[in-house]
Amino acid sequence: AQTVTQSQPEMSVQEAETVTLSCTYDTSESDYYLFWYKQPPSRQMILVIRQEAYKQQNATENRFSVNFQKAAKSFSLKISDSQLGDAAMYFCASHFSDNAGNMLTFGGGTRLMVKP
Amino acid sequence: EAQVTQNPRYLITVTGKKLTVTCSQNMNHEYMSWYRQDPGLGLRQIYYSMNVEVTDKGDVPEGYKVSRKEKRNFPLILESPSPNQTSLYFCASSLTYNYGYTFGSGTRLTVV
């Protein structure tokens, strides 16, 4: 079975500092897609960043970047220059190519707190 | 504005009373899906649809029904709700299978 694991239930970071959220996954597939979603207190799920497994280059979106280590099956999210608005639940998710129905598999989430 | 609209946002109901949560998207997306979110478990897929009249079960389909009669709508039906269906529910849609989903604002359901 395909699984996604986030081992850090909670993290905190000082405003303007950098924080890295961890995610590991387990699959025997070679073709898949990885995502990070942000869920602020409003509970809206917001797509932060997307990585295609066949691309070696790490995805970046402004202050958000990933460290994708395919051999280690690791997909961490780095947030630079943290802002108060970054405080939220963050979910790692994957779509594996053998999943019928376009199912996303989610990790359990990491709650990020940002200290002023 | 491109969006997925769910209603209601909050719902409290009693055990056994049938209910429907509506979901509509205005982006002409083929894929639609329902998830439930429970603490520590992340989001788990209930049902999905790849097109009109094409639906199938996700990870946790027991106690739920769906239909896809039109491309834009994908309602979630609980025929006989039970307290273990108390959860936060999300509808989501996607243009393609690998693009990432757009989520609705969620429906907080409490079954007493």
Side-chain angles (χ1 to χ4, degrees), chain A residues 19-31:
Chain A
V19 65
T20 298
L21 309 183
S22 300
C23 174
T24 57
Y25 57 92
D26 186 22
T27 182
S28 57
E29 297 298 314
S30 59
D31 181 22

Side-chain angles (χ1 to χ4, degrees), chain B residues 58-104:
Chain B
D59 267 349
V60 288
E62 293 78 20
Y64 305 95
K65 284 176 58 177
V66 294
S67 68
R68 186 98 181 266
K69 292 184 170 56
E70 307 163 280
K71 196 171 188 178
R72 61 184 292 124
N73 295 324
F74 191 45
L76 179 69
I77 303 157
L78 285 72
E79 294 270 2
S80 181
S82 62
N84 65 11
Q85 293 177 298
T86 293
S87 188
L88 177 60
Y89 290 87
F90 285 98
C91 179
S93 72
S94 177
L95 182 63
T96 66
Y97 70 94
N98 59 2
Y99 195 73
Y101 272 113
T102 300
F103 282 81

Side-chain angles (χ1 to χ4, degrees), chain A residues 64-113:
Chain A
F64 298 86
S65 62
V66 300
N67 182 7
F68 174 47
Q69 301 287 332
K70 192 171 184 178
K73 296 180 182 176
S74 169
F75 181 60
S76 59
L77 175 70
K78 185 171 85 170
I79 306 174
S80 304
D81 185 26
S82 296
Q83 301 174 0
L84 295 178
D86 295 333
M89 282 289 290
Y90 286 83
F91 291 96
C92 178
S94 64
H95 175 268
F96 300 110
S97 61
D98 68 337
N99 269 348
N102 192 29
M103 183 166 68
L104 281 178
T105 302
F106 283 84
T110 296
R111 182 174 302 281
L112 178 66
M113 295 171 284

Side-chain angles (χ1 to χ4, degrees), chain B residues 13-16 36 80-87 89 109-112:
Chain B
T13 190
V14 296
T15 299
R36 61 177 287 173
S80 181
S82 62
N84 65 11
Q85 293 177 298
T86 293
S87 188
Y89 290 87
L109 172 65
T110 302
V111 183
V112 299

Side-chain angles (χ1 to χ4, degrees), chain B residues 3 7 10 16 30 33 40-41 52 80 82 87 90 95 108 111:
Chain B
Q3 59 185 357
N7 281 298
Y10 299 91
E30 305 255 330
S33 188
L41 298 178
V52 175
S80 181
S82 62
S87 188
F90 285 98
L95 182 63
R108 172 73 68 186
V111 183

